[in-house]
Amino acid sequence: MISATLLGQSILSGIFSGCLYAMLGLGMTLTWRYLKVINLAHFAFVLIAAYLTYQLVGKNGWHPLAVAIVLTPAFFALGVALQALIHRYEVNEFASIIVTFGLVMIAEAGLQWFWSADFLKLEAHVMRGTYEIGGLFFPTGEMVMSLVAVAMCVGIWAMMRFTWLGKALRASLDNPQIAASFGIPNRRLSYLVAGASGASTAIGGLFVALLFTLAPSQMFSWLGVVFAAALLGGLGSPLGILGAGLLLGVSEAITMAVTAPAWAPVVPFTLLMVILLIWPERV
Amino acid sequence: MKVLDQSPFGVSRRRALQGGLAVAAAAAWPSAVSAQGSGPIRIGGTLALTGPLAQTGIIHKIVGEFFIERLNKAGGLLGRKVEWVLLDDQSKPDVTRTLYERLITVDKVDLLMGPYATGSILSAMGVAQRYGKILVHHTFGIPSLAKYDMHFPAWPIGFNPERTVTNRVVDTLGDKVKTVAVVTSKFPSVHFIALGARPVFKERGIREVLFLEFDFGTKEFGPIAARVKDANPDFLFMGAIGLEGNQLLEALDKLNWTPKNHFYTYPTPGPLALSPLGKDALSFTAYEDLPPLNQNPEAAEFGKAFTQAANANKIPYPYVETQGGASYSAWQILTHAVRETKSLDDKAMAAFLKKNGAPTIIGRVRFDGPNNYGDDLMRIKQVQNGRWVIVHPKDVATPGASIVIK
């Protein structure tokens, strides 16, 4: 019989995982929906940001907050630059998979060349430690990451829902020509979305560096589950990916707690298939 | 006499002898020419230079480059220089298969050197078997799968490592450990050892309080850690490859729980030894660059050169350990066979190795058991003060090191 503490701790782990999935997938779901770009390089950007964090915090002694302040605009620019190339060469939705996959390969080789193929662990002194509340353990790093992920998803959702920018984006998506005739700058909006997506990879990379051990080959570690979360949550939906991420994370964690953990990877795709079967218009 | 000089087919004995010699020479021609050729001896192989196994592939690359350089400085083999034709198998067994085909049929290498990792070695073995080439390889993990009679494992884990290694671990632990949690990745070469360990623990009177299997590539170890903590074993036996041991330890640390005693099958050496969480972790090893194993000039030179190259390549644990040791041994085995048979003939070398074994820095390895496996020469090592040291058996234990059991 599974104990309440074990179940509670596992659910807590699932919540943390779900928030990470949402953080890593937020930018990707936005570009997929609004720019028609399936950006696999999103995960390469995350890992590049993680390695830069490792370098700046671990080797140069920077505070992670300073790293965030520097990397966020830098990766915003990187996202814009990638989108400019996609515009320049008129890369369509399916071709974007191949193009960005190529970028992933280049990024992996670059990371391996610069930081070696070996595992690297950032031994930072910030966000360490664990709080115990009611027999459950709350690791500081995971809690901060989760709060930031929720803030990012809710913030983007609010911006899309309540500001002119969000309305303009939706209009641009529905009918770019008519939107343009009303003065909506489609091209500039696309750069804004791509930049925001790039900026989100900087934050994601920062937390990946703080919470995980790095290796260039881990580029696709979260790809499958983040794709599943993006599809389950509905493309372009910040709250959707947060909810789907939490659903997947908690489902995986409970599976690990009550059955063989080897079954956990089956959960996201089973859920995805079931939901697509009963609710195909979700995607 | 004249009649006697004639063969029954009307050919003179001298002519028959000349003809026979010509046929024999023609039959021996390929190996004779390659053994006495003027160009370099080309040894072809692949390594996982990219992909998920690249962390270890780079170790084998450093070792191979050092060995070939040293070999050539000493005059090469059979009076010829040696060239290593190295290709990147991207950590993929299917790519490995194709590349070994290429090495044999396109690059026309004289000899093969095996790749790293069980899946890739198995792929290369199939190709070697098809072309009748001898295959010496580094770290093959599932001896029962190696059916080819001309394969030679440099990693001396014996034919039943799941039993011999586990028994050695229990011998090392003594009688303090009463309960065990077996947590294993489903990665084949660690999974079968963990499965085989379970009955050994039972036979040795250690009660299993938890058995968990997880998928290779699992990133989230929180729930697994919660279950290990809940089971509270005296001993955590983890079928782990690469970083999985670190990942579980980090998840356990977040629950404020540390295993009393813990063992990992194939950990990446650096992260576990260098992490504070890896303190007192156990594993098994064929070789460590430590006395008494490194007390000969060749091993000492190798250890020094490896550390320099590892630092240059930013490898966090810059000491020769089980992977580097097995890799060096593989080269020693292959070149020993060439020298002793004075040829590049695959069959002759295989017959020689099967009969005589080979001296290596790990020790003398034999190939006369099932599937060409000999003795299990593996030793038990433990992380002490940020470095792996050998703690069992006593005859190869690092001077000054003694096992820490809680």
Side-chain angles (χ1 to χ4, degrees):
Chain A
M1 180 68 182
I2 185 169
S3 71
T5 310
L6 173 56
L7 187 64
Q9 194 66 55
S10 299
I11 291 172
L12 203 55
S13 290
I15 291 170
F16 296 143
S17 295
C19 288
L20 182 72
Y21 300 158
M23 179 183 274
L24 298 183
L26 177 62
M28 195 194 71
T29 192
L30 291 176
T31 54
W32 193 346
R33 168 78 167 159
Y34 291 104
L35 307 182
K36 305 285 182 215
V37 173
I38 303 173
N39 184 12
L40 297 182
H42 189 80
F43 298 94
F45 287 3
V46 169
L47 215 59
I48 291 168
Y51 270 94
L52 288 171
T53 303
Y54 168 84
Q55 188 70 32
L56 295 171
V57 176
K59 302 288 179 189
N60 297 27
W62 287 32
H63 191 279
L65 198 58
V67 174
I69 290 168
V70 170
L71 290 191
T72 305
F75 276 74
F76 183 96
L78 194 60
V80 171
L82 177 62
Q83 185 61 23
L85 285 175
I86 284 170
H87 279 313
R88 168 72 181 76
Y89 294 104
E90 297 176 351
V91 179
N92 66 31
E93 188 170 357
F94 291 109
S96 69
I97 299 175
I98 297 167
V99 170
T100 56
F101 182 74
L103 291 176
V104 169
M105 294 293 106
I106 294 167
E108 185 178 342
L111 291 177
Q112 191 168 313
W113 177 73
F114 197 80
W115 280 282
S116 90
D118 222 318
F119 294 112
L120 296 174
K121 176 69 180 161
L122 174 56
E123 298 291 349
H125 296 291
V126 292
M127 287 192 260
R128 306 281 293 182
T130 301
Y131 294 95
E132 186 183 356
I133 303 168
L136 296 180
F137 292 88
F138 294 77
T140 311
E142 275 81 351
M143 281 198 302
V144 174
M145 179 274 296
S146 299
L147 289 173
V148 172
V150 171
M152 284 167 66
C153 291
V154 172
I156 296 281
W157 168 79
M159 192 200 71
M160 307 280 277
R161 180 77 178 79
F162 299 115
T163 67
W164 175 88
L165 199 62
K167 289 173 189 168
L169 266 175
R170 292 203 300 276
S172 178
L173 178 71
D174 282 344
N175 194 319
Q177 286 77 25
I178 293 177
S181 69
F182 279 85
I184 292 173
N186 292 321
R187 180 64 63 95
R188 270 191 283 166
L189 276 179
S190 76
Y191 287 140
L192 189 64
V193 173
S197 172
S200 77
T201 63
I203 306 296
L206 176 81
F207 282 104
V208 165
L210 289 171
L211 301 178
F212 296 92
T213 303
L214 305 176
S217 58
Q218 290 176 321
M219 203 79 77
F220 289 118
S221 292
W222 290 279
L223 178 79
V225 72
V226 167
F227 257 75
L231 292 169
L232 272 176
L235 290 180
S237 168
L239 290 187
I241 197 163
L242 180 61
L246 289 171
L247 174 69
L248 294 181
V250 172
S251 308
E252 285 178 322
I254 291 175
T255 307
M256 282 187 172
V258 299
T259 66
W263 285 102
V266 179
V267 171
F269 302 102
T270 307
L271 275 173
L272 182 63
M273 281 191 291
V274 169
I275 289 179
L276 288 180
L277 279 173
I278 59 177
W279 193 6
E281 65 273 20
R282 184 81 190 134
V283 180
Chain B
M1 287 291 287
K2 199 173 180 181
V3 174
L4 289 175
D5 275 344
Q6 294 284 327
S7 79
F9 304 101
V11 179
S12 75
R13 195 162 61 183
R14 181 169 294 179
R15 291 291 296 272
L17 191 61
Q18 284 171 342
L21 286 172
V23 170
W29 185 79
S31 58
V33 166
S34 53
Q36 295 165 9
S38 55
I41 293 173
R42 302 177 79 226
I43 302 176
T46 75
L47 284 176
L49 300 178
T50 56
L53 302 175
Q55 295 92 352
T56 313
I58 185 71
I59 292 173
H60 292 271
K61 182 168 181 278
I62 290 171
V63 174
E65 285 170 347
F66 169 75
F67 191 93
I68 297 292
E69 189 186 335
R70 187 175 185 275
L71 184 68
N72 283 332
K73 274 184 190 163
L77 275 177
L78 307 178
R80 295 163 62 185
K81 292 288 179 194
V82 175
E83 181 189 324
W84 185 20
V85 183
L86 175 64
L87 305 174
D88 176 14
D89 60 42
Q90 301 165 35
S91 310
K92 296 174 184 167
D94 52 327
V95 174
T96 306
R97 187 178 304 113
T98 308
L99 293 180
Y100 273 86
E101 288 270 0
R102 175 189 144 175
L103 285 166
I104 294 169
T105 60
V106 179
D107 296 316
K108 299 193 185 301
V109 295
D110 299 294
L111 296 169
L112 296 179
M113 172 52 73
Y116 152 71
T118 301
S120 286
I121 292 171
L122 210 51
S123 290
M125 203 179 289
V127 180
Q129 185 166 18
R130 201 153 56 247
Y131 290 94
K133 301 291 288 181
I134 187 172
L135 186 77
V136 181
H137 51 81
H138 308 102
T139 47
F140 188 75
I142 312 178
S144 61
L145 296 180
K147 305 285 189 189
Y148 178 40
D149 61 356
M150 293 212 294
H151 90 95
F152 294 92
W155 210 37
I157 56 175
F159 185 63
N160 296 305
E162 71 278 21
R163 291 196 63 80
T164 51
V165 167
T166 311
N167 269 309
R168 196 156 296 146
V169 172
V170 177
D171 291 343
T172 309
L173 292 169
D175 55 5
K176 282 189 182 173
V177 168
K178 305 292 181 201
T179 58
V180 62
V182 178
V183 179
T184 181
S185 167
K186 292 187 87 172
F187 191 85
S189 53
V190 300
H191 189 238
F192 99 99
I193 287 188
L195 294 185
R198 298 179 73 193
V200 175
F201 286 127
K202 193 174 178 186
E203 288 161 19
R204 302 288 299 263
I206 297 173
R207 186 166 60 88
E208 182 182 283
V209 291
L210 180 70
F211 174 70
L212 289 180
E213 296 167 304
F214 61 89
D215 234 24
F216 177 61
T218 294
K219 297 290 288 181
E220 175 50 55
F221 279 81
I224 298 173
R227 290 181 73 172
V228 172
K229 183 185 176 187
D230 207 44
N232 194 25
D234 293 338
F235 179 47
L236 169 63
F237 182 96
M238 190 173 183
I241 188 158
L243 207 60
E244 290 165 341
N246 283 69
Q247 290 171 315
L248 179 58
L249 284 171
E250 284 163 15
L252 286 167
D253 185 52
K254 286 169 184 168
L255 304 180
N256 283 359
W257 195 84
T258 307
K260 288 178 208 137
N261 305 292
H262 47 148
F263 173 91
Y264 307 86
T265 36
Y266 302 138
T268 304
L272 195 56
L274 301 174
S275 166
L277 302 174
K279 187 170 178 278
D280 302 335
L282 296 161
S283 186
F284 67 124
T285 184
Y287 183 85
E288 300 292 316
D289 182 19
L290 290 165
L293 294 176
N294 65 357
Q295 298 300 293
N296 68 71
E298 184 175 358
E301 185 189 345
F302 168 47
K304 196 174 164 189
F306 180 88
T307 297
Q308 279 177 354
N311 283 327
N313 283 278
K314 300 172 189 165
I315 293 174
Y317 192 78
Y319 310 109
V320 181
E321 43 69 64
T322 194
Q323 293 287 344
S327 193
Y328 197 86
S329 294
W331 287 102
Q332 286 181 307
I333 292 164
L334 184 65
T335 51
H336 179 70
V338 173
R339 281 199 197 95
E340 292 300 312
T341 60
K342 297 182 176 56
S343 84
L344 302 176
D345 183 79
D346 292 276
K347 284 191 172 60
M349 286 192 291
F352 173 83
L353 286 176
K354 184 109 176 156
K355 186 177 174 193
N356 300 289
T360 72
I361 57 166
I362 291 172
R364 183 157 199 102
V365 289
R366 295 191 299 108
F367 307 107
D368 53 358
N371 289 7
N372 287 5
Y373 275 84
D375 301 316
D376 176 354
L377 298 181
M378 301 305 278
R379 294 96 189 204
I380 304 300
K381 62 179 177 178
Q382 186 170 44
V383 174
Q384 294 186 3
N385 302 316
R387 186 151 183 197
W388 291 102
V389 294
I390 295 177
V391 291
H392 185 85
K394 283 203 169 89
D395 61 322
V396 287
T398 308
S402 58
I403 180 79
V404 178
I405 302 290
K406 295 166 193 159

